[in-house]
Amino acid sequence: MQYWARRLEQEIDGVMRIFGGVQQLRGIYNENRNLFEVKENVPRKLVEKVAGDIESLLAKKVRALKRLANAAEKFQKAHHWQDNIREEDIEYYDSKADTEYDDPDGEEIEREKSNSLKLEFTDDANFKTKVNYSYAAVQIPTDIYKGSTVILNELNWTQALEDVFIENRKEDPSLLWQVFGSATGVTRYYPATPWRAPNKIDLYDVRRRPWYIQGASSPKDMVIIVDVSGSVSGLTLKLMKTSVYEMLDTLSDDDYVNVASFNEKAKPVSCFKHLVQANIRNKKVFKEDVQGMVAKGTTDYKAGFEYAFDQLQNSNITRANCNKMIMMFTDGGEDRVQDVFEKYNWPNKTVRVFTFSVGQHNYDVTPLQWMACANKGYYFEIPSIGAIRINTQEYLDVLGRPMVLAGNRAKQVQWTNVYQDALGLGLVVTGTLPVFNLTEDSSDRKNQLILGVMGIDVALNDIKRLTPRYNLGANGYVFAIDLNGYVLLHPNLQPQIINFREPVTLDFLDAELEDENKEEIRRSMIDGNDGQRFIKTLIKSLDEQYIDEVFRTYTWAPIKSTNYSLGLVLPPYSTYYIQANLSDQILQVKYFEYLLPNSFESEGHVFIAPREYCKDLDLSDNNTEFLENFIALMEKVTPDSKQCDNFLLHNLILDTGITQQLVERVWKDQDLNTYSLLAVFAATDGGITRVFPNKAADDWEEEPEPFNASFYRRSLDNKGYIFKPPYRDAGYRELDLENNTIGILVSTAVELSIGGKTLKPAVVGVKLDLEAWAEKFKVLASNRTDRDQLGARRCDPSTSCEMDCEANNKDLICVLIDDGGFLVLSNQEDHWYQVGKFFSEVDANLMSALYNNSFYARKESYDFQSVCAPEAQSNTGAAPRGVFVPTVADLLNLAWWTSAAAWSLFQQFLYGLTYSSWFQTEEVAGDSMEARETSCIMKQTQYYFSTVNATYNAIIDCGNCSRLFHAQRLANTNLLFVVADKPLCSQCESIKLLQAEVRAPPRDPNQCELVDRPRYRKGPHICFDYNATEDTSDCGRGASFAPSLGVLLSLQLLLLYSSASRHPLPPAACL
């Protein structure tokens, strides 16, 4: 077998030496040494410069933000409240006035009358939508009456902000959305643009946006306790579940939470035994487990509150260590549990208590009001589903009191996590600043209400433009993280679904393959340190099929005046890079001509990387069209034009000339058919991919951007010849091989050493004809010499000759498998259509043996940014948001008509008059688009060569039909050569190793285990949770509207008639 392996190695090396042209390309670079300079990337200087540039960009936004916040406080203080204000007295642009809402049955819903201004809009490239720079727009949540006195006064005084918005833009034309989110729910944003309508219900409320929550209060430690005694049943329990669901949505990643249910005893609703970070995945666990709560037993408030206080007093866990609060949901009770408060909370009252009376009942609510008022909290009533959203977010006003009373000390600009902009900008971060009510009452007491939060968006793309890209090489990159360890910038930050309601939270250790070195780097960055470390680590290939062990230098430093830290990753071969200097215009023209399509027939087809070479260059996904656009522009401007990136253009044109010289010196003189080659190619850092001959470009499927091509990036990181078969998934079937020529890429990096400086500016390779090389493989892995004739040798038990892969292909399986476990070549014709498949799909038994004998190691990881088709939802059990459907017995029971159910249906009916889709069974996607797809977690498995590097023989024990196999790595390649007996019986069958990406099962990764070893993080460095002057006398209110039986009866009959005439009322509807 070693003899066959040497023959294979020699054949591969010979072909690559003749056609790859590595040596010749080195010579061409050296001959053209006068046309370029070798520049150095100095990591610390690069990080320092980029961090400074980002700091300057954000500082400009901060100045605009402070100007807006100060102006808002001044305008509100000068405003005179008007009790008799009318809607027609206010002039503003209602962003929803021009929004079309469609009925689920296909009918357009009649739009309510509006006094909104009529504006004209023009397309704007910066905002990616139509805008009007002369006005701001107003958005008011669907469930808020825009004609109320509070809202009209809010619209009146905030109108003065328009002039400040406009002045800010004049000073900084790069400003994007400037937004004031009011505590009343009104959003005023600039410039004006029509609201992006969802296709169902618009549930957007600025007070639930991540940036507003972060700006409106300090971090929170929250324990939610839910009364599940026997009196809580039916609709009341559903209301409680939905209330908890909505309460969780008011928490951000800076907050910590736990949820428990109680009757005679208290217990957590989930597997979390202590406070956990309120991140998306933990909140999802809570939301799922809350639905399993069942009402039984008797109420014991003492059990619930003691559990909650014990949770908040646990100092052995990571938590927010700022605002502490208990949120209790109950249907009512008489016990005030004063002894519990005396024991745990008095006299300092460091824990606020918020109580929620849920459902319609006749209990005395005085004890609940007392609990809240005696513990610096607030009492709320949630009589029906329509009251949930507003009453589960108003506690933020109470938490904002210490901030307001702290005055200027609390006016700290904070920068958010990454999230999706609701108006279409894509990924953004937002700078936030709270806006305080500066008015005083007749006793000269300061007002303690927060007016709202001012925000200014910064698009991630604007930050990315400040970072170096092409001088770092294909595998170098810049990244940034926040205090939670979430990435702000990273090439792997690529969320696949738009969800306006959730921030985009990808941890640095999930963006990369986690190891101890990276954990320490992450911790140092969060701590605001600078540093540098050279490490060996694992990385995934761009196509996520392979794992490479590589060396990288990580360099990092804080971005001053922000919560962010910047990092730079460089491989050793990217320390230096080429900077072309084509001052000779005649040479520029000469090289440029090799980009023209009329040269392709003789010089090979050229693909150019779709980079932003010039400002006026139209980008296109079609490379032929992009090349035409590029050529057309170059006829108008020179490579030295100020509107062009001279570095990119000069390098592109230089590489065009260098690769053309490779064609002239190497490729033109060789007959590719002699060696069964479909193509030869070269790709460069400068953005050129030249494929020869021209006709081979028709079947070229690699990315025209070398930096985005897996073969290019892997060749740089690995020594020798890298084979890449066409990837085939498990279900692939090739029915007609004759008309489909399959090619296998073989590539290798070109390493230069210039003046002692090492760099890799290009990758060269060949494309093998699979069918021809499969035949060649059989010959090379045989005992046949050139003099032997096929058919003259046949080995069988009666002869003494050795068996080989050609003569005995009916008895022996001979394969070449690459370092990812994918089939490259085989002596079995029925394997040819399976080339590119994971080898376990071809021979599960043999692949398992290779893995079990340590030829391969396995790496499992999770992709938290994936998109999946929505899973079928069961209609059994309580939905998160449900409409109570009365039974016939209910309808005949007079008491039912005055119950909570009837009153709830009355409110749902009022909403239903506006949006009939609220009575649909399907879940509404809130303020996102239609929920055809959903975010999900995918589990990825990759295989890679372990340290075993020798010839290995082993027996696969299958009883009476065991298999013998031999395996050996081929030198200077990423191939494993395997020879094995064909399986004789089914006893040797084994379970397939899985390589394909699969949807992670529920609770995988196990959040219950992960929270016990939380990743290092830091919260905001400021906390405002106490002020001695806080006035806590305003601590709750009750419902004042008592519906009459006659009104309810009439409305209920109308509801039943209306819903029945449209469609039968389903078991669940959404809010």
Side-chain angles (χ1 to χ4, degrees), residues 291-343:
Q291 301 310 316
M293 292 191 304
V294 177
K296 60 181 179 180
T298 58
T299 304
D300 184 354
Y301 286 159
K302 185 174 183 178
F305 276 109
E306 285 187 337
Y307 177 89
F309 280 113
D310 286 341
Q311 289 277 300
L312 293 171
Q313 288 183 351
N314 185 354
S315 59
N316 297 323
I317 57 167
T318 306
R319 57 183 187 176
N321 285 318
C322 193
N323 285 293
K324 297 179 181 65
M325 68 202 69
I326 298 170
M327 325 297 273
M328 183 180 73
F329 293 90
T330 181
D331 63 343
E334 297 178 358
D335 190 359
R336 300 191 178 201
V337 289
Q338 182 171 336
D339 56 330
V340 175
F341 298 133
E342 289 174 347
K343 176 182 178 182

Side-chain angles (χ1 to χ4, degrees), residues 209-278:
R209 299 294 286 147
W211 64 269
Y212 183 95
I213 294 170
Q214 180 171 313
S217 65
S218 292
K220 302 174 277 295
D221 285 324
M222 176 187 291
V223 180
I224 301 171
I225 53 176
V226 185
D227 179 0
V228 291
S229 60
S231 62
V232 179
S233 59
L235 180 65
T236 302
L237 183 59
K238 288 185 179 182
L239 290 175
M240 286 186 181
K241 292 177 180 180
T242 307
S243 298
V244 174
Y245 194 99
E246 294 292 339
M247 180 67 73
L248 289 168
D249 280 343
T250 67
L251 303 177
S252 73
D253 290 79
D254 290 332
D255 303 320
Y256 282 74
V257 65
N258 202 356
V259 182
S261 60
F262 71 92
N263 38 40
E264 300 94 340
K265 295 181 179 179
K267 63 178 182 179
V269 299
S270 71
C271 58
F272 302 141
K273 306 304 181 187
H274 52 74
L275 291 170
V276 297
Q277 187 182 14

